[in-house]
Amino acid sequence: MNKNPLLNCDYEKGVCEILDAPNTESSVDQLQDIATDKIHIIYYTDPICSSCWGIEPQLRKFKLEYGNAVEIDYRMGGLLPSWDIYNSGGISKPSDVAHHWEEVSPYYKMPIEGGVWLEDPLNSSYPPSIAFKAAQMQDAKKAINFMRITREMVFLDKLNITKDENLEKAAELAGLDVKQWKEDYESKAQIEFKKDLDLGKQLGVRGFPTLIFTKDNEMLDVLYGFKPYAEFEQRVKKIKPDVKKKAYSSEWDQLFAVYPTLTTQEFAVLSDISFEKAFEKLQNLTNENKITRKKYKNGDLWILNKN
């Protein structure tokens, strides 16, 4: 069984789709305000999208190698408005998602715990999406850290990221001005989230992850769903044939300096080594007290030790 009817997530397609996907044609008019010398990528995602968690290794490598040539604009897609909308058509209950998450974890080689859907299920993905927009209004880089923290909370630590205390903790850990973040979360960020939803419909976004490649006000390519790293590269090179890949150090300390938490698969992709070799290397670093291993049922998270 490769589909979860609840959120219409299919790991073989590598995508979590919106059940009432719009049939709207993509509108180039919506791209006019984001012209840039770089390739502008509109990345539609959702805090609870398992396929989006699955592409984190590729996305992190992509930023290191092509960060000088691309600009990634994170947009929230609204995967789960509420359970009321999913109460018919053979779609049942939050606990069904637990099985799906456990199923996709080995496929993506990314640790995922489905227990949150059994112990403290989320009623919507809208609150963490709005919370991200509040973070983004304050600082784009810190917002990405905020998203990472909330994803580790829900995918790994089985924490309900619709709850204020968990979102506030994530804002604090991301280094945001928590007071300002709370004010924006309760007001302006809700408007910004609505703008993301509206733009997504106008651009014909039907699922996540969706990365829309644009340049000079023109939509040039779309990467839809979980894809290998080579497909990220191919799209950039097709748009900008003379693009230069930036060399980066794959030494463990340099990687952890950029990304203080890494899954085994992320370390493998960033180091360009096998999953097995990556685990062996990370375990040795743990034995040397350089990093800490957090064990989960379906994998591990490795955290840089602060000296």
Side-chain angles (χ1 to χ4, degrees):
M1 182 173 178
N2 62 16
K3 280 192 175 182
N4 167 35
L6 200 60
L7 295 177
N8 207 31
C9 291
D10 185 335
Y11 68 77
E12 289 188 351
K13 286 165 59 179
V15 68
C16 289
E17 294 179 328
I18 304 171
L19 293 178
D20 57 346
N23 294 319
T24 314
E25 290 297 321
S26 300
S27 172
V28 176
D29 292 341
Q30 298 299 321
L31 309 177
Q32 290 182 356
D33 293 333
I34 52 176
T36 174
D37 290 337
K38 293 185 176 183
I39 298 169
H40 188 95
I41 301 172
I42 304 171
Y43 175 31
Y44 264 92
T45 183
D46 188 275
I48 66 167
C49 167
S50 55
S51 302
C52 300
W53 179 242
I55 70 160
E56 278 289 282
Q58 294 93 306
L59 197 58
R60 285 183 150 189
K61 185 179 179 70
F62 188 58
K63 289 176 182 177
L64 287 180
E65 290 198 323
Y66 294 98
N68 292 336
V70 304
E71 186 175 74
I72 302 177
D73 179 14
Y74 282 69
R75 301 283 183 144
M76 297 293 100
L79 181 60
L80 179 63
S82 75
W83 287 113
D84 293 339
I85 294 173
Y86 294 96
N87 278 342
S88 62
I91 297 164
S92 52
K93 54 193 180 300
S95 58
D96 293 341
V97 185
H99 172 73
H100 164 69
W101 277 15
E102 300 284 346
E103 188 178 50
V104 301
S105 180
Y107 186 82
Y108 295 135
K109 296 185 178 179
M110 290 286 280
I112 305 177
E113 297 270 357
V116 68
W117 297 104
L118 303 173
E119 299 166 17
D120 191 7
L122 289 70
N123 58 6
S124 170
S125 67
Y126 278 28
S129 298
I130 295 166
F132 171 81
K133 297 309 293 185
Q136 198 176 41
M137 289 172 65
Q138 193 175 134
D139 187 290
K141 289 184 179 179
K142 289 180 180 178
I144 295 169
N145 291 338
F146 175 85
M147 173 68 77
R148 175 68 183 206
I149 291 163
T150 56
R151 279 184 167 149
E152 288 181 7
M153 282 179 166
V154 71
F155 285 117
L156 304 181
D157 296 324
K158 300 185 289 185
L159 293 175
N160 185 329
I161 56 170
T162 67
K163 291 186 172 179
D164 289 347
E165 61 266 30
N166 291 330
L167 290 172
E168 190 170 327
K169 180 64 175 177
E172 183 183 333
L173 290 171
L176 293 163
D177 179 332
V178 178
K179 183 180 178 183
Q180 183 63 53
W181 170 83
K182 286 175 74 173
E183 288 179 10
D184 292 335
Y185 173 61
E186 293 167 2
S187 56
K188 297 175 185 176
Q190 299 188 35
I191 298 169
E192 293 303 308
F193 176 53
K194 178 66 163 53
K195 288 179 183 177
D196 281 4
L197 295 182
D198 290 345
L199 178 61
K201 288 178 181 178
Q202 290 162 6
L203 294 176
V205 175
R206 66 186 191 278
F208 320 108
T210 293
L211 290 89
I212 302 168
F213 290 70
T214 75
K215 195 172 188 303
D216 300 329
N217 301 332
E218 186 180 358
M219 186 185 298
L220 299 173
D221 209 338
V222 176
L223 188 151
Y224 182 58
F226 177 89
K227 295 291 187 295
Y229 184 69
E231 295 211 24
F232 287 75
E233 281 196 297
Q234 287 168 9
R235 283 165 171 78
V236 171
K237 290 177 179 177
K238 185 170 71 173
I239 295 169
K240 198 172 181 180
D242 61 344
V243 67
K244 295 289 190 292
K245 181 190 296 189
K246 182 182 176 182
Y248 68 89
S249 173
S250 60
E251 292 296 320
W252 76 269
D253 55 334
Q254 297 299 310
L255 294 179
F256 276 97
V258 179
Y259 302 122
T261 66
L262 289 165
T263 65
T264 309
Q265 177 66 358
E266 286 175 326
F267 188 79
V269 170
L270 293 174
S271 303
D272 198 24
I273 57 178
S274 69
F275 185 92
E276 292 72 22
K277 193 73 176 176
F279 179 82
E280 181 184 344
K281 193 167 185 176
L282 290 163
Q283 186 60 63
N284 288 337
L285 289 168
T286 302
N287 295 338
E288 295 168 10
N289 204 31
K290 302 284 180 61
I291 60 174
T292 296
R293 177 187 181 189
K294 284 186 75 172
K295 298 180 183 179
Y296 296 97
K297 181 165 56 176
N298 295 319
D300 303 288
L301 185 73
W302 311 83
I303 305 164
L304 179 66
N305 289 341
K306 296 178 180 178
N307 295 325

